[in-house]
């Protein structure tokens, strides 16, 4: 909380790009994190947090192995239309390849951008240890709140409204 969401660009679950997420920050870093800075990677097949954080952002992290976290993204999907013009939404699914995550997205009918974090680089960078984890950030990416565990639709609405009030202040 209070820090800026770190840069990352990852393959979209609904795209054709194969590979692992790029977590190279603007300054420094090494080629193991990505050859180019993550914010420079903008394409239809890429979920780029640098683009998403221009508005308030609700970012949900899930893992699919040994956990039942997908219902949290289902709840976000159900309330997302209420805030569509004012808030960006995205999910990061860790531990599966693009094909597996794409199947989950299609089966569950998710429409928000879903980033594939096959090798766990993004969840490690964020220090995610609880599934699901939901990050609420202000325009520009400053993290306002982090929630561990499941949230109801009403809890999501309440936190998003508070985020919007803070963004407009």
């Amino acid at each position: 909380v209070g820090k800026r969401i770190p840069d990352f660009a990852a393959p979209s679950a609904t795209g054709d790009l194969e590979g692992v997420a790029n977590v190279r920050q603007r300054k420094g870093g090494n080629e193991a994190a990505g050859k180019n800075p993550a914010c420079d990677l903008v394409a239809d097949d890429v979920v780029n947090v640098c683009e998403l954080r221009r508005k308030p952002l609700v970012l949900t992290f899930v893992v699919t192995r040994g956990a039942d976290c997908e219902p949290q993204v289902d709840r976000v999907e159900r309330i997302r239309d209420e805030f569509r013009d004012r808030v960006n939404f995205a999910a990061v699914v860790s531990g599966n390849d693009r094909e597996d995550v794409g199947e989950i997205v299609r089966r569950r009918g998710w429409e928000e951008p879903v980033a594939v974090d096959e090798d766990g680089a993004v969840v490690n960078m964020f220090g995610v240890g609880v599934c699901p984890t939901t990050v609420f950030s202000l325009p520009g990416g400053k993290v306002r709140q982090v929630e561990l565990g499941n949230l109801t639709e009403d809890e999501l609405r309440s936190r998003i409204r508070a985020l919007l009030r803070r963004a407009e202040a």
Side-chain angles (χ1 to χ4, degrees):
V1 174
K3 294 184 179 179
R4 186 173 189 221
I5 286 181
D7 303 345
F8 74 85
S12 170
T14 57
D16 294 324
L17 181 66
E18 297 289 342
V20 297
N22 178 310
V23 295
R24 185 168 185 173
Q25 304 302 295
R26 293 175 191 213
K27 297 178 182 174
N30 60 48
E31 290 206 16
K35 184 176 180 181
N36 299 304
C39 288
D40 292 349
L41 304 175
V42 179
D44 290 341
D45 287 355
V46 172
V47 177
N48 188 311
V49 78
C50 309
E51 298 288 311
L52 293 168
R53 67 184 178 210
R54 291 180 178 169
K55 289 183 183 179
L57 173 62
V58 177
L59 184 60
T60 307
F61 290 89
V62 299
V63 296
T64 59
R65 295 190 179 142
D68 185 28
C69 300
E70 294 99 333
Q72 183 62 44
V73 181
D74 295 340
R75 286 185 287 277
V76 170
E77 281 288 323
R78 285 193 294 271
I79 62 112
R80 194 169 68 93
D81 281 346
E82 298 171 36
F83 304 98
R84 183 181 301 269
D85 294 334
R86 299 178 293 157
V87 178
N88 283 328
F89 295 85
V92 176
V93 177
S94 185
N96 295 74
D97 64 24
R98 186 193 52 77
E99 187 174 303
D100 289 343
V101 178
E103 174 56 33
I104 293 167
V105 168
R106 285 185 290 281
R107 184 176 70 245
R108 298 187 87 95
W110 295 346
E111 294 183 8
E112 66 191 87
V114 177
V116 178
D117 183 26
E118 186 173 344
D119 65 355
V122 178
V123 295
N124 287 336
M125 182 174 64
F126 277 78
V128 172
V130 175
C131 176
T133 295
T134 308
V135 177
F136 299 85
S137 70
L138 296 165
K142 184 177 181 181
V143 176
R144 179 78 177 135
Q145 187 172 15
V146 177
E147 291 288 344
L148 306 178
N150 289 299
L151 297 170
T152 66
E153 290 175 34
D154 286 340
E155 289 170 329
L156 284 163
R157 283 184 190 96
S158 174
R159 282 155 181 80
I160 293 167
R161 288 182 187 120
L163 182 69
L164 287 169
R165 283 192 302 274
R166 179 69 177 183
E168 293 166 0

